Amino acid sequence: MGNLQIASRNVIRNQRRTLVALFIIAIGVISLILADGFIQWIFWGMREATIQSQSGHIQIMKPGYLKAGAANPYAYILPGDSSLYNAIESIPGVKLVTPRLLTTGLISHNEITIAFMAEGVDPRKDEELSKAVRIAAGSNLTGNSLKEVILGRGLARNLNAEPGDTVVLLATTSNGGINAVEAKVSGIFVSTNQAYDDASLRLPIELAQTLVRVTGVQLWLILLHDTERTDDFLTQLRTRFPAMTNNLEFVPWYQQADFYNKTVALFSQQMDILRIIIGCIIVLSISNMLIMNVLERTGEIGTMLAIGLKRRKVLLLFSIEGLLLGLTGASLGLVIGYGLAELISTIGIPMPPPPGMEEGYTGEIRITSKVLVSAFLVPLTTTALAGLYPAWKASRMQIIDALRHNI
């Protein structure tokens, strides 16, 4: 009879204790799946919101724009090379390339005048890129009229402006002069960043160029079909256009996503602590149960040693028992956890507005292979470790003392 078969029979001999052990392990796996899956969904949501509201997957700009562009934005206008623009957009895997012209100034409505930050966009392409920006009132930029703007909800509230109102934009031009244009408010938008909504507006790229009197833009935003391939496309762009690397800079979305990067680092550390806590609970619980199992089978262990079974064989048998408990409990928890995650995601998790946002959202559990593997390996490993001490204790028993338990 093989070691695995003997260990299996020993595991199911005491059904109540085995069920309790499996329950503890399965609960650990389920907890890890749900907690890690929810955090991964938060990471995914923040990542896609960053990409689909402001940055795209990759930004093309002139070198030095990130460091000095705020002080002198019009010194970093990209060349009007439509062939390069079209060549990048034709690369397989690239969804679209869209321009951005950023500026600041003053916006007036009736007697109210406040500062604004503006993004000149291509209305036809921006609708695909800016899916994280929701129109709360009115309509989005259509591209049919050049003299239209959409305002962030906070900015519209401060201006006491509504869709259909006329506003005046005042900005410093590229040559240092002052220029003003009138535009109609076509809509009011809400993004994932309340501070952005309180000061920002969007307008057609042609109107932005007229306002500041430039013919180019500062940024080209690249939207990909697959976020996971951002680094691959970054390498491909730098390799495919080597002559442009001195005149252009290719910047991935995560290089400027400081809040996202710090949030991932913080939550990842918290998740590591949760794994350690669950691992300790499993080790203490399973180790205690297996020690009780060893004490109850002291006479049996003495008999096995007396008939010539080697101590390392006893050690192996009890170690396999702990591993079987871990494997069975982790597999059971994996199935139940995955099912619960799908059910919870279907129903949704109502969440209050997080800091920096005005609206709540519906959370989900995002299941990835990494989440499942991690949730499976932590209990399996800790259970196997928990069985080592009881197994060692069983293998080191003195034969005479162990046989006395059979009397």
Side-chain angles (χ1 to χ4, degrees), residues 27 49 66 96 130 210 230 269 272 295 330 334 363:
I27 288 296
L66 292 179
L96 59 88
S130 301
T210 300
T230 299
Q269 289 181 0
D272 290 339
L295 294 176
L334 208 63

Side-chain angles (χ1 to χ4, degrees), residues 106-109 113 116 166-170 180-183:
L106 297 175
I107 180 171
S108 298
H109 175 244
T113 300
F116 72 83
T166 298
V167 295
V168 177
L169 306 179
L170 182 69
V181 297
E182 283 190 350

Side-chain angles (χ1 to χ4, degrees), residues 255-403:
Q255 186 170 321
Q256 300 182 68
D258 184 64
F259 182 77
Y260 169 83
N261 293 329
K262 290 179 178 178
T263 301
V264 169
L266 175 64
F267 280 17
S268 297
Q269 289 181 0
Q270 293 177 347
M271 196 62 212
D272 290 339
I273 293 174
L274 179 61
R275 292 189 184 100
I276 292 173
I277 292 173
I278 291 178
C280 290
I281 293 173
I282 293 175
V283 166
L284 293 174
S285 302
I286 302 303
S287 180
N288 183 57
M289 289 182 181
L290 292 178
I291 287 176
M292 291 179 61
N293 190 28
V294 169
L295 294 176
E296 290 180 357
R297 294 164 57 188
T298 300
E300 176 187 333
I301 295 169
T303 302
M304 288 190 295
L305 293 173
I307 62 176
L309 202 65
K310 294 183 179 180
R311 293 186 182 274
R312 65 170 178 269
K313 180 81 168 183
V314 175
L315 175 65
L316 179 61
L317 285 173
F318 277 89
S319 297
I320 293 176
E321 290 181 25
L323 187 61
L324 281 175
L325 283 174
L327 184 62
T328 306
S331 300
L332 183 63
L334 208 63
V335 174
I336 297 175
Y338 182 83
L340 283 175
E342 291 295 325
L343 177 63
I344 293 172
S345 296
T346 301
I347 298 173
I349 309 171
M351 300 295 295
M357 291 180 62
E358 291 186 356
E359 298 182 345
Y361 58 95
T362 301
E364 297 179 13
I365 308 295
R366 188 167 188 260
I367 300 300
T368 64
S369 58
K370 183 179 178 181
V371 171
L372 295 177
V373 170
S374 175
F376 182 81
L377 290 180
V378 170
L380 178 63
T381 304
T382 52
T383 304
L385 292 175
L388 292 180
Y389 175 70
W392 176 83
K393 188 175 180 64
S395 67
R396 305 312 299 173
M397 284 185 177
Q398 296 299 321
I399 298 176
I400 298 299
D401 293 335
L403 288 175

Side-chain angles (χ1 to χ4, degrees), residues 79-380:
D81 188 352
S82 59
S83 61
L84 175 61
Y85 186 96
N86 295 330
I88 294 174
E89 195 167 37
S90 65
I91 297 175
V94 174
K95 199 169 188 179
L96 59 88
V97 182
T98 185
R100 277 286 193 277
L101 178 60
L102 310 181
T103 187
T104 59
L106 297 175
I107 180 171
S108 298
H109 175 244
N110 295 331
E111 302 299 322
I112 304 173
T113 300
I114 56 179
F116 72 83
M117 297 183 297
E119 289 185 271
V121 302
D122 182 340
R124 296 175 181 83
K125 291 185 175 181
D126 192 70
E127 186 175 358
E128 181 66 29
L129 173 65
S130 301
K131 290 184 177 180
V133 176
R134 181 177 64 84
I135 300 299
S139 61
N140 204 346
L141 299 175
T142 61
N144 298 325
S145 172
L146 295 182
K147 293 194 173 183
E148 60 178 349
V149 297
I150 55 174
L151 306 179
R153 184 157 64 182
L155 180 61
R157 185 187 300 125
N158 293 333
L159 282 172
N160 195 24
E162 297 179 355
D165 291 344
T166 298
V167 295
V168 177
L169 306 179
L170 182 69
T172 303
T173 63
S174 58
N175 57 14
I178 301 295
N179 192 28
V181 297
E182 283 190 350
K184 179 182 177 181
V185 178
S186 61
I188 296 171
F189 68 83
V190 179
S191 72
T192 57
N193 189 328
Q194 184 178 348
Y196 175 78
D197 298 345
D198 288 344
S200 298
L201 62 87
R202 293 187 172 189
L203 66 166
I205 193 80
E206 295 86 353
L207 182 59
Q209 291 172 333
T210 300
L211 177 62
V212 297
R213 293 177 180 170
V214 298
T215 57
V217 297
Q218 295 124 338
L219 301 171
W220 290 342
L221 307 187
I222 301 176
L223 183 66
L224 305 175
H225 288 285
D226 185 3
T227 301
E228 305 298 335
R229 296 196 60 196
T230 299
D231 288 336
D232 294 338
F233 275 95
L234 196 62
T235 302
Q236 183 178 348
L237 287 171
R238 290 169 176 169
T239 304
R240 186 165 178 173
F241 305 101
M244 297 296 176
T245 54
N246 293 327
N247 299 321
L248 296 177
E249 186 176 2
F250 301 94
V251 180
W253 66 270
Y254 51 78
Q255 186 170 321
Q256 300 182 68
D258 184 64
F259 182 77
Y260 169 83
N261 293 329
K262 290 179 178 178
T263 301
V264 169
L266 175 64
F267 280 17
S268 297
Q269 289 181 0
Q270 293 177 347
M271 196 62 212
D272 290 339
I273 293 174
L274 179 61
R275 292 189 184 100
I276 292 173
I277 292 173
I278 291 178
C280 290
I281 293 173
I282 293 175
V283 166
L284 293 174
S285 302
I286 302 303
S287 180
N288 183 57
M289 289 182 181
L290 292 178
I291 287 176
M292 291 179 61
N293 190 28
V294 169
L295 294 176
E296 290 180 357
R297 294 164 57 188
T298 300
E300 176 187 333
I301 295 169
T303 302
M304 288 190 295
L305 293 173
I307 62 176
L309 202 65
K310 294 183 179 180
R311 293 186 182 274
R312 65 170 178 269
K313 180 81 168 183
V314 175
L315 175 65
L316 179 61
L317 285 173
F318 277 89
S319 297
I320 293 176
E321 290 181 25
L323 187 61
L324 281 175
L325 283 174
L327 184 62
T328 306
S331 300
L332 183 63
L334 208 63
V335 174
I336 297 175
Y338 182 83
L340 283 175
E342 291 295 325
L343 177 63
I344 293 172
S345 296
T346 301
I347 298 173
I349 309 171
M351 300 295 295
M357 291 180 62
E358 291 186 356
E359 298 182 345
Y361 58 95
T362 301
E364 297 179 13
I365 308 295
R366 188 167 188 260
I367 300 300
T368 64
S369 58
K370 183 179 178 181
V371 171
L372 295 177
V373 170
S374 175
F376 182 81
L377 290 180
V378 170
L380 178 63

